[in-house]
Amino acid sequence: MAITFNPETNIFYLDGKDITYAFYINRVGYVSHLYYGARISHDNLRFFRAPGRSSKTATPPGIDQGGLSYQFFDPELGFYGTSDYREPAVHVQSVEGDRILNLLYDSHEILPEKPAIGGMPSLTGGETLVLHMKDSVSGFGADLYYTVYDDSSVIARRAVYKNGGEHDCRLLRAYSFSMGLPGMDYDVMSLYGAWGCERHIETIPVHHGVVSVDSKRLSSSATLNPFMGLIAKGTTEHHGDAYGISLVYSSSFVLKAEVSMAGETVLTGGINDFDFSWKLGAGECFETPEVVIAYSADGIGGMSRAFHDVFRKHIINPRYVNASRPVVINNWEGTYFNFNTEKLKAIADAAEGTGIDTFVLDDGWFGKRDDATSGLGDWYVNESKLEGGLEAVIDHVHAKGMKFGLWFEPEMVNEDSDLYRAHPDYAIGKPGRPRCYGRHQYMLDLTRADVRDCIVDSVNKMLSRYGIDYVKWDYNRNVTDIYSIGRDADRQMEFAHRYVLGVYDICERIVNANPNVFFEGCAAGGDRFDPAMLYYFPQIWTSDDSDAEERTRIQYGTSIVYPLSAMSCHVSAVPNHQTHRMTPMRTRGDIAHLGATGYELDTTQFTDTDREAVSAQVDEYRKYEHLILGGDLYRIDSPFEGNFFTEMVVSKDKSEAMLLVYRRLSSPNAESKRIKLYGLDKSKTYYIEGLDITAGGDTLIHAGIALKYPKEDYTSAVYHVREVK
Ligand code: GLA
């Protein structure tokens, strides 16, 4: 049993791989956090708690006991109105208008397997505790779900709110969890960015008051990823306590860390309550998205590996987790909108024989689409551009033994499209108000069933009519003008959550209806890179910035939470289209190899040397692919901190590893560089191919190796480290 309850102490213990999570119910029924961290014995942890007291604080309802207050306990689910002034997880208004809540323990059950969440992706499996909490006056309730795994160092949590009263109520806030951490010696780590520079790393100390990361964009966003790290002071990449919160959600979110007056850190978050309210009828429930909280005593790297393990084992479609990925040639940076059938065939011809196995036709094949101003929504072939129809391209590609992929942007519409002319009301916006454009386009109102049916129908028609093996699902703007025609005024603020439920619905009906099609996610690059999207899309186009130097930081930051196999990484032409930077072909390949590798350029421009280089790169990628898909990542040098970027990807049995080294800028007086090969087995002996070094794992970890770099800027190398017996 991974989950146990001690009725004498009223403590729950939840044990996962290397972790224990514990909380208890106090004598008034308040559910209070005790511990989350390294695996420990089931001792009476209540002895370790000394709740603060102050004679000037309010008491819990009906208990006139000077100084006892909820705010001196760490909540498992914070609520408002009854003596706790910290950020609550739930805020609800009754039909009379009051917002008073006193959620106490009612009962619990332990399930052998976690039930799925209705309409939203969540982790699979795992023994699950369901804790029922109730407000005895209003009948309002909350069910807290806790899941632990024997193969992952995380706890998964969510809350389901229930209106057990006789009248409607209104959820003003419906977060997924609360949790306490002792003291305030933590830095908050966040992954911030923008288009073309997604998931850069920032750390700031927690402080009295609230630190938050959020999105109001209805996408999990490039601006801030739905992740918050709580890194104990003194923790490094390799040692020390690191917690990470990752929300399995793709719409507006918020995660908060608040240091209370008692000097404790309380965490909470979930669906963003900005621009949110949800009417809950009598007897109705509201499901919140799942939050995955990882812990490692092995530093930030250990926290990342905990996330990588759980997402590979419990959210990415098992069919694809360890399956060799397509190596694509995508025509976007090669042609943009400027192509015809002959050009596409020529690109496929020039890729033949290099090991590239999938041709992906990007934007511009449909409707009247010659630039970004028209055509979105019209998912039928632009026959005047593609002479001979799409079949001519697909047949040509298939005849070469290559697979065929196609770009869609299902959630969008251009004003200049047949879809918009027929159904202007399908676009999000308020009649009578001029709307904001984003890349010349509007967003479709996915909160409406008729709009969703129309999208599903037109995309599925294309997928069933043509031999399409691969889909790139794009999403290129953020929402504005939030208003849904036909929805009651008092439900308009349900939009952000209903929109994403609509996204998940069309994903279910398109992705799941086409099990033989491989789907890649994309959102103007990485504007919607989150665990829920990974449920549908085993890999996501990481960024529209394909410059190898920029990618070192984007991919390093992304790997804080997401496995390498989730990152789609392409080799593109130089000068790079986003930065105009020249980087060597070797480096572009090596950096792309730290993810699902592909190409994005005009192959008809290849010289013989280029073709040979690509061929060698694809061979090398295939040699290491099993490590990219299933290995453990050890980040050694951070490109955010210096001139070097070094990573090791080690097989689970530690019998081999891929070592990638990169130096940004050359200098006449070059630094000498010692690299410690973290992640190897100290008791094994290894051989490093290319360097001709044989040494013990202990030596390679503690003494490391010294490397010489070539004279040029932006140079890299990859070495195979393998066990010798
Ligand atoms: C987005 C994607 C690109 C490409 C274009 C096409 O920007 O991120 O890869 O597909 O759209 O319009």
Side-chain angles (χ1 to χ4, degrees):
M1 281 278 281
I3 299 174
T4 49
F5 176 62
N6 181 337
E8 278 164 29
T9 55
N10 276 348
I11 299 180
F12 288 91
Y13 301 92
L14 297 90
D15 296 316
K17 182 188 169 207
D18 303 331
I19 57 116
T20 297
Y21 187 104
F23 61 88
Y24 78 114
I25 301 155
N26 79 6
R27 68 194 154 82
V28 300
Y30 184 83
V31 185
S32 179
H33 183 78
L34 284 171
Y35 174 78
Y36 181 36
R39 186 78 168 253
I40 55 171
S41 312
H42 292 185
D43 291 310
N44 188 348
L45 296 166
R46 292 175 66 163
F47 296 139
F48 297 93
R49 262 211 64 91
R53 258 164 210 272
S54 157
S55 57
K56 297 290 192 297
T57 55
T59 61
I63 299 171
D64 190 9
Q65 203 183 90
L68 182 72
S69 166
Y70 285 155
Q71 68 186 331
F72 290 119
F73 295 84
D74 288 346
E76 284 295 308
L77 192 85
F79 47 87
Y80 184 71
T82 45
S83 86
D84 191 349
Y85 302 95
R86 295 165 300 181
E87 286 287 328
V90 55
H91 193 204
V92 57
Q93 185 170 33
S94 77
V95 76
E96 291 97 355
D98 73 278
R99 284 94 48 225
I100 309 164
L101 209 49
N102 188 30
L103 279 175
L104 299 179
Y105 171 83
D106 185 43
S107 61
H108 72 269
E109 54 195 307
I110 296 171
L111 312 175
E113 186 91 349
K114 177 159 69 75
I117 309 181
M120 265 185 284
S122 58
L123 303 187
T124 56
E127 193 174 310
T128 298
L129 167 69
V130 191
L131 193 84
H132 305 286
M133 296 169 81
K134 201 168 167 186
D135 180 294
S136 60
V137 178
S138 66
F140 185 84
D143 289 344
L144 308 193
Y145 285 72
Y146 297 82
T147 305
V148 280
Y149 298 91
D150 53 16
D151 59 17
S152 305
S153 304
V154 307
I155 180 148
R157 292 197 47 190
R158 66 187 169 100
V160 178
Y161 297 106
K162 290 197 291 197
N163 180 358
E166 287 169 7
H167 305 283
D168 289 350
C169 68
R170 181 169 295 281
L171 289 169
L172 304 171
R173 172 180 290 189
Y175 291 169
S176 300
F177 79 110
S178 300
M179 190 187 102
L181 286 176
M184 56 180 289
D185 288 336
Y186 306 96
D187 286 325
V188 164
M189 175 184 274
S190 61
L191 300 175
Y192 74 97
W195 174 81
C197 53
E198 296 88 345
R199 290 170 296 286
H200 282 214
I201 299 171
E202 188 166 65
T203 48
I204 55 163
V206 297
H207 53 71
H208 286 93
V210 181
V211 177
S212 75
V213 298
D214 85 330
S215 161
K216 302 179 187 72
R217 294 171 176 267
L218 271 70
S219 77
S220 43
S221 105
T223 317
L224 278 165
N225 196 261
F227 160 77
M228 180 185 262
L230 274 302
I231 313 299
K233 295 279 189 207
T235 292
T236 65
E237 178 66 23
H238 306 289
H239 307 287
D241 288 337
Y243 297 85
I245 310 169
S246 172
L247 194 63
V248 187
Y249 193 56
S250 316
S251 188
S252 304
F253 72 91
V254 64
L255 294 170
K256 295 177 179 170
E258 176 176 18
V259 176
S260 67
M261 66 182 193
E264 307 266 296
T265 305
V266 176
L267 311 171
T268 189
I271 295 173
N272 202 334
D273 47 319
F274 170 78
D275 205 35
F276 168 89
S277 87
W278 194 279
K279 190 168 153 185
L280 210 55
E284 283 181 357
C285 289
F286 181 84
E287 302 223 40
T288 65
E290 190 160 62
V291 66
V292 182
I293 312 174
Y295 165 77
S296 177
D298 295 327
I300 299 162
M303 174 198 75
S304 296
R305 288 187 290 278
F307 279 131
H308 300 172
D309 279 343
V310 77
F311 293 146
R312 287 188 296 215
K313 289 184 175 123
H314 296 287
I315 202 142
I316 298 174
N317 186 339
R319 183 173 174 175
Y320 297 116
V321 174
N322 290 311
S324 190
R325 297 289 169 83
V327 173
V328 308
I329 171 66
N330 176 304
N331 71 309
W332 179 242
E333 286 195 19
T335 65
Y336 295 103
F337 292 105
N338 186 19
F339 58 82
N340 56 25
T341 305
E342 288 318 304
K343 179 69 187 177
L344 299 177
K345 284 183 181 173
I347 291 176
D349 291 346
E352 193 175 6
T354 57
I356 291 174
D357 57 19
T358 303
F359 176 89
V360 178
L361 172 52
D362 210 280
D363 194 355
W365 59 267
F366 51 89
K368 188 173 102 5
R369 180 92 167 159
D370 292 317
D371 55 35
T373 61
S374 61
L376 286 174
D378 297 342
W379 301 115
Y380 39 81
V381 180
N382 183 341
E383 304 262 352
S384 59
K385 194 166 181 179
L386 291 179
E387 205 181 316
L390 195 57
E391 294 92 335
V393 184
I394 298 179
D395 292 349
H396 189 80
V397 166
H398 280 165
K400 294 181 180 307
M402 290 167 80
K403 299 205 160 175
F404 179 80
L406 199 59
W407 181 95
F408 288 88
E409 197 177 1
E411 299 156 66
M412 303 291 167
V413 67
N414 282 118
E415 214 166 14
D416 184 3
S417 68
D418 293 343
L419 180 67
Y420 186 81
R421 280 182 282 277
H423 300 286
D425 61 303
Y426 278 14
I428 296 170
K430 184 141 186 255
R433 282 190 79 91
R435 270 173 287 191
C436 307
Y437 293 93
R439 210 194 186 213
H440 314 284
Q441 65 204 49
Y442 296 144
M443 287 174 65
L444 291 168
D445 185 352
L446 264 57
T447 70
R448 284 172 52 176
D450 55 345
V451 178
R452 297 198 298 273
D453 289 348
C454 169
I455 297 171
V456 170
D457 189 49
S458 63
V459 174
N460 275 347
K461 255 191 200 134
M462 280 296 299
L463 297 184
S464 59
R465 168 150 180 222
Y466 295 95
I468 296 164
D469 311 295
Y470 180 115
V471 164
K472 177 176 172 188
W473 181 308
D474 212 337
Y475 167 91
N476 271 310
R477 65 159 289 182
N478 288 136
V479 77
T480 54
D481 305 288
I482 294 177
Y483 183 78
S484 188
I485 295 167
R487 193 166 295 284
D488 292 346
D490 66 347
R491 288 194 176 272
Q492 288 289 343
M493 280 168 73
E494 297 177 3
F495 191 94
H497 185 55
R498 286 192 186 276
Y499 180 83
V500 82
L501 293 179
V503 174
Y504 298 145
D505 177 55
I506 64 169
C507 283
E508 288 286 325
R509 290 158 66 197
I510 296 174
V511 177
N512 293 351
N514 295 282
N516 295 322
V517 177
F518 184 91
F519 283 81
E520 171 173 295
C522 177
D527 191 48
R528 202 164 58 182
F529 205 121
D530 62 64
M533 284 290 114
L534 282 183
Y535 176 78
Y536 299 107
F537 310 136
Q539 65 188 50
I540 300 174
W541 178 228
T542 314
S543 174
D544 272 350
D545 187 346
S546 62
D547 173 51
E549 154 61 19
E550 295 266 304
R551 277 295 189 114
T552 60
R553 286 179 293 286
I554 295 169
Q555 293 174 205
Y556 186 102
T558 305
S559 79
I560 294 288
V561 181
Y562 305 97
L564 298 182
S565 62
M567 294 182 226
S568 175
C569 306
H570 292 176
V571 175
S572 60
V574 287
N576 177 267
H577 292 198
Q578 292 78 38
T579 61
H580 298 266
R581 186 176 281 122
M582 299 294 292
T583 52
M585 181 66 171
R586 161 98 224 177
T587 304
R588 282 177 273 151
D590 287 345
I591 302 300
H593 288 170
L594 288 170
T597 294
Y599 290 80
E600 172 135 357
L601 34 71
D602 183 354
T603 53
T604 65
Q605 306 294 311
F606 276 172
T607 60
D608 287 347
T609 320
D610 292 334
R611 280 181 58 79
E612 277 162 30
V614 171
S615 235
Q617 281 179 352
V618 178
D619 286 348
E620 193 168 79
Y621 171 67
R622 292 296 187 207
K623 172 174 165 185
Y624 293 117
E625 190 176 26
H626 62 288
L627 297 175
I628 299 299
L629 295 173
D632 282 331
L633 175 68
Y634 288 82
R635 291 177 296 248
I636 298 172
D637 290 305
S638 165
F640 291 101
E641 284 165 16
N643 204 21
F644 298 91
F645 168 52
T646 314
E647 293 196 336
M648 287 265 287
V649 193
V650 185
S651 64
K652 286 278 177 196
D653 66 0
K654 297 193 183 290
S655 65
E656 61 165 333
M658 162 185 165
L659 167 66
L660 174 132
V661 299
Y662 167 84
R663 188 189 56 191
R664 184 174 301 135
L665 295 180
S666 167
S667 128
N669 184 12
E671 309 107 296
S672 95
K673 177 68 183 156
R674 184 75 73 91
I675 295 171
K676 294 183 174 183
L677 302 192
Y678 290 95
L680 297 179
D681 181 337
K682 289 184 186 174
S683 63
K684 290 190 196 304
T685 303
Y686 294 93
Y687 177 70
I688 309 179
E689 236 174 63
L691 295 173
D692 201 22
I693 294 173
T694 302
D698 50 356
T699 306
L700 295 171
I701 292 171
H702 295 297
I705 56 170
L707 270 190
K708 281 196 192 126
Y709 291 79
K711 281 208 184 315
E712 296 77 26
D713 291 341
Y714 315 120
T715 52
S716 68
V718 170
Y719 301 104
H720 193 199
V721 183
R722 57 184 162 79
E723 182 184 2
V724 285
K725 299 216 170 151

